Each structure stands twice: as C-alpha cells, then as structure tokens.
Amino acid sequence: MIESALKQDLSRAFSACYDINIPADEISIQPTRREFEGSHTLVCFPYLKQTRKSPEQTAEGLGSWLVENSVVVSGYNVVKGFLNIVVEDSSWLQEFSGILASENYGNFPDRKEEVMIEYSSPNTNKPLHLGHLRNNFLGWSVAEILKANGYSVHKVQIINDRGIHICKSMVAWQRYGDGETPAETGKKGDKLVGDYYVRFDREYKTEIKELVEQGIPEEEAKKEAPILKEAQEMLLRWEQKDPEAVHLWERMNGWVYSGFDQTYKQMGVDFDKLYYESETYLLGKEEVLKGLEKGIFFRKEDGSVWVDLSKEGLDQKLLLRSDGTSVYMTQDIGTAILRFRDFPEIIRQIYTVGNEQEYHFRVLFLILDKLGYSWAKECYHLSYGMVDLPTGKMKSREGTVVDADDLMNEMIATAEEHTRELGKIEGFSGEEARELYEMVGLGALKFFLLKVDPKKRMLFDPNESIQFQGNTAPFIQYTHARISAILRKAEQLGISANEVPETGSLHEVERMLINMLGDYPGRVAEAGQNYAPDIIAQFVFDLSKEYNRFYQEISIFSEDDEELRTFRVALSAVVARVIRHGMSLLGINVPEQM
RNA sequence: GGUCCUGUAGCUCAACUGGAUAGAGCAACUGCCUUCUAAGCAGUAGGUUCGGGGUUCGAGUCCCUGCAGGAUCACCA
C-alpha cells in the first residue's frame, strides 16, 4: 500500500512541480540500495526531457514537494539522478497492521478459472530417479503457486504403461523370474520390475555377442536376438488382447504402481487424476485418421501418415507408422483431447517435461491447432533442465542413476545425524524426532532443486550439493523454529500480538522486514505468471536472512516499551506466517522446534 | 548443418525485466554463545558478467558477431 500511495503522490508531485502529467501506474519505483538511506527510489533520468531540469534538480524538486505534501514521506536524499525516499514510521506501522489483519495473506481471491498441470509421467519399467524428483517437485509447487494465485488446479500425469519397454521387463521376468513377487521378496514393486528391465538388456547384449561370434553381422544380430523377438511378440499379443499377456502386464504394472505410490507419498506429491497411455493412444489414432480425412494430414505411399509443418519452419512429422500403429505423438494428441473433454472448463494445460522434448511439444501444439482446437494456443510446455551428476549424465541402462527412494532416505539419515550432533532433540518423542528428520532432510532436497531457475540444467553432487547452512531449507526452517520459540514465550508472558501501535520509532531492520512482507503477494503473483518456484524460494530465504539480522540486533523481551514489545512479537508472528506460507508453496514443512 | 537453451567470485546461484560501487550462500580467514535456539550474526578476501562490436544519459540485461557447453531435428518413448 505504501508503494501505491507513493506513486499517487509522485504523480501529483510531477504535475505540481513541473506541470507534467504522469499517471501513477506508469511510475516505476525500485527498492533503495542498502547503502543509502530510504526504502523506495525513483530513477529520474527517464523524465528529464519533460522536466527540462538536471537530474539532481528534478529529484530535489520532487523530494521537497513530497516531504511537504505527502503523508507517507518523512524525508529524502538525492544521489545523482536517484531520489531516495524515506517513509514515515507511522506509515510502516499502518502497512504492517494491514498485513497482520489479513487472514489469507499471500492468497489471491478465486479467479474462477481452471488450469491443468501435468508432471511426473513415468515409464512403468523402471523406478523413479533424481530427474523425476526435480520434475515432481517443480510441477507440484507450480500447482500450489497457481492455487495461491486463485486458479483452481487439476494435477494429472500420463502413465506410459504400454509399449515395447514394458514387454522387455515382462519377458525377462518370465524367463528368469521364477515366479518372484514383491510380496515374497520384500522388494518394492517398481524396483523389482526395473531389475528385470536391466536383466533384459544384459541378456540381449549377450545374445547379440553370441550371434556375432557365429558370424552374423552385428546390425542383423541386433534385430534377430531371440529375446528381442520374444519382446516384440509379447507386444503384438498384448495389442491383440491375448489374455495371458494382458494378465501378466496388469500384474507387473500393479507392482510398479504400488512402488510408485510409496515413493510419491514420501515425496509429498499427489495427483487428482491419472491418465494411462493404454487408454488414450487409440483416441489419438482416431483423431489422426479424422485429420487425414479432412486433409490436414497426408498419407505416403507406404501407408504411413504424416503432418507437414514446413510452413511453420519445421519439417514433416510421422503420426502413424506404415503398419498403422501409433507413435509417441499420436498418444499425446489423444491425451490432450481427452483431457479437455474430461475438464471442459480448463483454460490451459501445462506440461512439466524436460527440455529435451521442446521440439516434441512445439509440434504437438501446432498439430492440435491445425486440428482446430482453440485451446491449443494456451498449452504450455513447462520445460526444465536436466540434473547432471559429477560423472556426467544419468543413464539408467548404465546404472548411473540416483534412485529417488535411496536419495530421500539418505537425506533423512543425514538430517538425523546432523540433528543429533547439534543435540537439538531434547524433549522430542521418537515419533516427533522422526518427523523432524524427514522435514529437514526432504526440505533440504526440495529447496535445493527448486531454488534454481527451472530452465537451467543443474549439477547434483551427492557429497556436496546438500547443505544445511546458508541458502537452504534448514536455514529457513530454523528461522521459523526460532520465531516459534519466541511466540511460545510471548504466550506465557500473556502478550497477545493483535494490536499494533499507530506511532513509534522503528529500527531500520524492522522497516526492512515490513517492506519485504509487503512485497510478498507481488512475488506470489510473479511466480504464478512465470511458473517459477525459484522466485518464492529466493524470497523466503531473503526474508529469513533479514529476520535473523533482526533477531540478532534487537531484543524483544527486554524492551521496556510495552507497545514496541508487542509490535515486535506481532512482527515475528507475521514473518513466521509468511515463511510457512511460502515454504508450503514449495511443498516444504516447517517445524515449531529444531 | 538448422533450431532452441545456457555462459556472472574457486563452487552453487541472484540481480525486481535498461538504473547507482554486480549481490547471497558454500569453501578460506577473523571476531561474537551467562541474554529470545550459534542449523545463527558481524566482518576480511574473492569479478575484464565468455570475447569483440553496436544502440544511449546508463548494458550482466537489448541488437549484431564470434567462442564454449548442452538439447533437439527417428516408422524410440
């Protein structure tokens, strides 16, 4: 509110001092750098042509007018063409009491608009890994941020449950599994199925080698290896709905799903609706055939169906193979259409998928547009960079993946170790302690993955990446725990923090904190527009940092002035509230004590 | 080769959309626990913002060009 008041007053100042008309909402104010006095800065250079004065004179004129005529301004200083404005303490207090009173601070009113966001979307032949963690945390957090912005959000995923990759695991299990099940081995279902996928690859390579030794050329051997033939036959039988194949497929996918559920639960990630490729690929095929009839697509001599995107600067893209079977793109066409049928009210669909698929989504959106779906232009590919390891790229076939479950458990164990070393768990029950380890360990992981601009690829070094000091979740959680301790004490002392004095002399850090708190809704909006959890992460860190400065420099309970003491408790309470809110947008919980 | 993304302190990242002397964290070094939690605070040191041009009062940010890294351009998913 201070900012908009300042803009109004500046607009008036421009017209009073220089007789020029600049609407308030066209004036841009930036935060004053720390080394100068004041909180808000007007850069005067852009207005010089209209004021016809030097930068200093322009700033000087506006500043002195503001001090005389604006109720929020108590002082100013001019450095070159920069007008630094000092805001009246009573205005800060008024601003703060507004924030204190607003119940839903950080949430915007219902916009009556629906959006859909997709994330995770794994294959069912291998367990989730570090890349999925970035994907899931990003998608889930963006969903929360959009909710805070007043959208109603549907969280979905498409499960790639059919295709040759599944059949590979099935064949390997049939051959070598000896009836093994998750229940009897105690192994998570997704892990068990993943192991057979790896086993397939190993046996496949062995068979190729044997064939090559028998004098068959390598290219041919790759096609003729018996185990691969078996997998292809399996896929064919599945597509023909052979009961045995379908039964095995259902059984093994079931194992995978229960394994995934466990992982999602620990991640704190969920979905409102699941889509299965096995249920959407046929619709995609129908749509392609319809498009063919309408002349949007064309058929080549061999019977394959294509779309020509050369007018759009791309090339031709295959939609149906010559044998009539569908490809990845076909399935995604079907899925998109099905989703808009299921949820006719959604205005946008957001796909959280790695940046290696940027081309794919450009093509997909173009095709949907060509098919005449008006919503195609509103689809958005939320693209993010890969997570690299010090050893290079993760490759599941080479075993250089960081498994999601392993990593989360390691994080929790490290958090426990750290906490014990610091001796921070006196008075905790076993259950409470475990909750804390999980909160801190998973929080550190999520924050690490979310604080970075999604576009950027990032390096994950298992030994060094996760820290508990500095720009990390534990630092922020710790700040929240500190405030909680203060609030507990205030309650004991009978200080209720609902009333804020109207006047009083504030400390620089207190002004800064109120200023930052006032910024928060704007940051939530910005994060929503840009699908950018990193903006929230950065904000919550900055706020925590500032609070710790306050905590260090200013004593609350030894303050003699009762009103000031109450104000400081209230300020602390609001900071804690905003930290909690911001962290919840990232999917991170904060403790009362640590 | 075409298209897209990225390049900022030794490392990981910021920089409010073109503003002041480019900021944080980690790592290194120096201080601060008899006070509301030291997972903290204060400080020192660390930079040719990949190079070269241009646009203007002003460029890490915009334009051109070169360099480096990555992704992608499949009858794979």
Side-chain angles (χ1 to χ4, degrees):
Chain A
M1 300 313 101
I2 284 179
E3 193 168 315
S4 59
L6 273 178
K7 286 182 182 177
Q8 293 289 341
D9 289 346
L10 274 165
S11 174
R12 285 165 55 212
F14 271 115
S15 96
C17 300
Y18 304 107
D19 196 27
I20 51 181
N21 177 32
I22 300 172
D25 54 1
E26 280 176 23
I27 295 174
S28 99
I29 292 180
Q30 53 183 288
T32 304
R33 299 183 69 109
R34 228 172 243 286
E35 60 262 39
F36 302 108
E37 199 196 351
S39 57
H40 297 77
T41 294
L42 178 78
V43 183
C44 295
F45 297 104
Y47 309 106
L48 300 183
K49 277 187 185 138
Q50 295 178 69
T51 64
R52 299 182 189 204
K53 295 269 199 285
S54 74
E56 289 82 357
Q57 285 170 326
T58 303
E60 198 64 48
L62 293 168
S64 58
W65 190 92
L66 285 176
V67 171
E68 287 296 313
N69 300 285
S70 168
V71 279
V72 294
V73 177
S74 68
Y76 72 96
N77 63 83
V78 174
V79 182
K80 293 189 232 167
F82 297 88
L83 171 64
N84 299 322
I85 298 166
V86 181
V87 171
E88 196 85 55
D89 279 346
S90 58
S91 298
W92 286 121
L93 286 166
Q94 204 187 338
E95 166 103 341
F96 176 69
S97 92
I99 297 170
L100 179 66
S102 93
E103 284 287 324
N104 251 322
Y105 200 62
N107 289 327
F108 287 85
D110 191 354
R111 310 170 65 116
K112 311 264 188 245
E113 286 180 323
E114 292 181 28
V115 295
M116 174 174 283
I117 180 161
E118 170 195 305
Y119 50 90
S120 200
S121 302
N123 289 340
T124 56
N125 60 332
K126 48 197 171 203
L128 302 176
H129 57 69
L130 178 54
H132 291 110
L133 290 178
R134 188 178 195 188
N135 178 305
N136 278 272
F137 294 154
L138 178 62
W140 197 87
S141 173
V142 167
E144 290 303 304
I145 290 168
L146 290 174
K147 283 186 204 168
N149 274 282
Y151 291 98
S152 120
V153 180
H154 304 280
K155 299 178 280 188
V156 300
Q157 62 169 331
I158 175 82
I159 297 168
N160 301 302
D161 61 345
R162 58 156 224 122
I164 190 77
H165 51 284
I166 317 298
C167 294
K168 287 179 180 176
S169 294
M170 285 158 65
V171 165
W173 183 84
Q174 267 187 335
R175 273 206 195 181
Y176 312 106
D178 200 19
E180 185 181 57
T181 67
E184 72 190 30
T185 55
K187 197 183 266 184
K188 267 180 90 225
D190 53 331
K191 297 283 158 61
L192 187 139
V193 172
D195 287 349
Y196 284 101
Y197 184 70
V198 172
R199 179 72 185 265
F200 176 94
D201 206 54
R202 211 173 72 210
E203 299 295 340
Y204 177 47
K205 280 185 179 141
T206 312
E207 287 184 4
I208 292 172
K209 206 175 147 200
E210 283 167 8
L211 290 173
V212 169
E213 276 163 10
Q214 289 165 25
I216 296 170
E218 188 169 343
E219 282 311 304
E220 201 183 325
K222 279 184 179 169
K223 285 179 194 162
E224 296 302 322
I227 194 165
L228 181 68
K229 288 269 181 196
E230 255 181 78
Q232 285 164 344
E233 278 163 30
M234 181 72 85
L235 180 60
L236 209 63
R237 277 178 20 225
W238 181 85
E239 292 203 348
Q240 289 161 354
K241 297 197 165 46
D242 172 75
E244 201 188 326
V246 170
H247 180 255
L248 179 61
W249 172 79
E250 278 173 349
R251 191 171 180 213
M252 288 182 75
N253 271 342
W255 296 344
V256 173
Y257 299 149
S258 70
F260 281 176
D261 282 348
Q262 225 176 306
T263 307
Y264 288 133
K265 200 174 172 203
Q266 184 162 46
M267 285 164 64
V269 158
D270 58 0
F271 302 90
D272 299 316
K273 186 171 171 65
L274 305 183
Y275 287 86
Y276 297 89
E277 185 188 340
S278 56
E279 292 166 1
T280 66
Y281 79 105
L282 290 175
L283 174 62
K285 218 162 145 174
E286 278 172 33
E287 288 288 331
V288 170
L289 291 175
K290 269 193 232 164
L292 185 64
E293 275 172 33
K294 288 182 196 159
I296 301 168
F297 308 133
F298 68 95
R299 198 188 281 279
K300 287 194 178 174
E301 283 171 10
D302 62 3
S304 56
V305 178
W306 296 71
V307 61
D308 184 5
L309 296 172
S310 49
K311 275 187 203 138
E312 285 79 6
L314 306 174
D315 47 16
Q316 298 182 347
K317 192 81 190 171
L318 177 81
L319 298 178
L320 286 178
R321 295 191 187 97
S322 49
D323 64 3
T325 55
S326 60
V327 290
Y328 183 44
M329 186 61 76
T330 327
Q331 163 221 321
D332 267 9
I333 293 170
T335 309
I337 291 167
L338 184 61
R339 284 173 179 170
F340 275 96
R341 276 186 202 165
D342 287 349
F343 299 93
E345 297 300 314
I346 56 176
I347 57 161
R348 175 167 307 140
Q349 197 169 160
I350 299 162
Y351 294 85
T352 314
V353 181
N355 62 8
E356 76 271 16
Q357 296 197 30
E358 266 164 19
Y359 183 79
H360 172 78
F361 281 102
R362 267 179 73 193
V363 172
L364 174 65
F365 299 157
L366 278 173
I367 291 174
L368 291 169
D369 188 44
K370 276 180 178 289
L371 284 170
Y373 293 101
S374 55
W375 41 259
K377 287 190 169 62
E378 288 298 324
C379 289
Y380 180 79
H381 175 201
L382 175 54
S383 165
Y384 63 91
M386 296 289 101
V387 185
D388 289 327
L389 299 175
T391 50
K393 203 178 163 175
M394 287 195 290
K395 291 196 174 122
S396 49
R397 282 188 202 165
E398 290 167 25
T400 57
V401 281
V402 176
D403 179 78
D405 296 313
D406 292 351
L407 180 57
M408 286 192 287
N409 290 329
E410 258 172 61
M411 291 304 308
I412 294 166
T414 312
E416 172 168 5
E417 200 181 311
H418 220 75
T419 308
R420 285 186 191 279
E421 263 173 37
L422 292 168
K424 292 268 184 173
I425 43 165
E426 42 177 304
F428 275 68
S429 71
E431 179 65 25
E432 285 166 338
R434 251 198 318 282
E435 257 175 52
L436 179 67
Y437 305 147
E438 203 154 300
M439 225 186 263
V440 172
L442 293 180
L445 181 60
K446 287 186 188 183
F447 197 84
F448 175 81
L449 291 171
L450 287 176
K451 73 176 177 186
V452 181
D453 181 349
K455 277 202 302 290
K456 291 189 176 170
R457 57 198 299 244
M458 60 193 296
L459 181 83
F460 183 85
D461 184 339
N463 301 315
E464 285 179 24
S465 284
I466 299 299
Q467 276 148 2
F468 291 82
Q469 278 108 31
N471 191 351
T472 65
F475 170 84
I476 296 159
Q477 291 168 320
Y478 178 69
T479 308
H480 183 268
R482 273 181 149 181
I483 298 176
S484 302
I486 285 175
L487 298 180
R488 283 194 293 273
K489 184 163 176 182
E491 202 179 340
Q492 280 171 15
L493 295 173
I495 301 173
S496 83
N498 300 322
E499 288 293 314
V500 176
E502 284 181 19
T503 56
S505 174
L506 297 182
H507 191 284
E508 189 50 46
V509 188
E510 293 169 328
R511 290 188 203 112
M512 192 67 183
L513 278 172
I514 296 173
N515 200 1
M516 294 179 88
L517 290 171
D519 255 5
Y520 182 59
R523 305 312 285 270
V524 174
E526 196 186 339
Q529 277 154 24
N530 298 302
Y531 308 119
D534 54 305
I535 290 174
I536 301 293
Q538 187 68 37
F539 173 86
V540 180
F541 171 68
D542 288 341
L543 179 65
S544 301
K545 183 113 186 87
E546 196 63 29
Y547 184 83
N548 279 309
R549 195 169 285 143
F550 164 84
Y551 184 92
Q552 192 77 19
E553 283 181 26
I554 297 173
S555 171
I556 295 175
F557 296 113
S558 57
E559 170 62 49
D560 294 331
D561 184 323
E562 198 185 317
E563 285 197 325
L564 216 46
R565 198 166 58 218
T566 311
F567 160 68
R568 286 175 186 165
V569 172
L571 182 61
S572 301
V574 174
V575 169
R577 223 169 70 194
V578 170
I579 287 177
R580 204 179 312 130
H581 188 271
M583 290 295 262
S584 80
L585 296 184
L586 303 176
I588 301 172
N589 293 318
V590 290
E592 300 290 312
Q593 194 184 332
M594 72 184 272

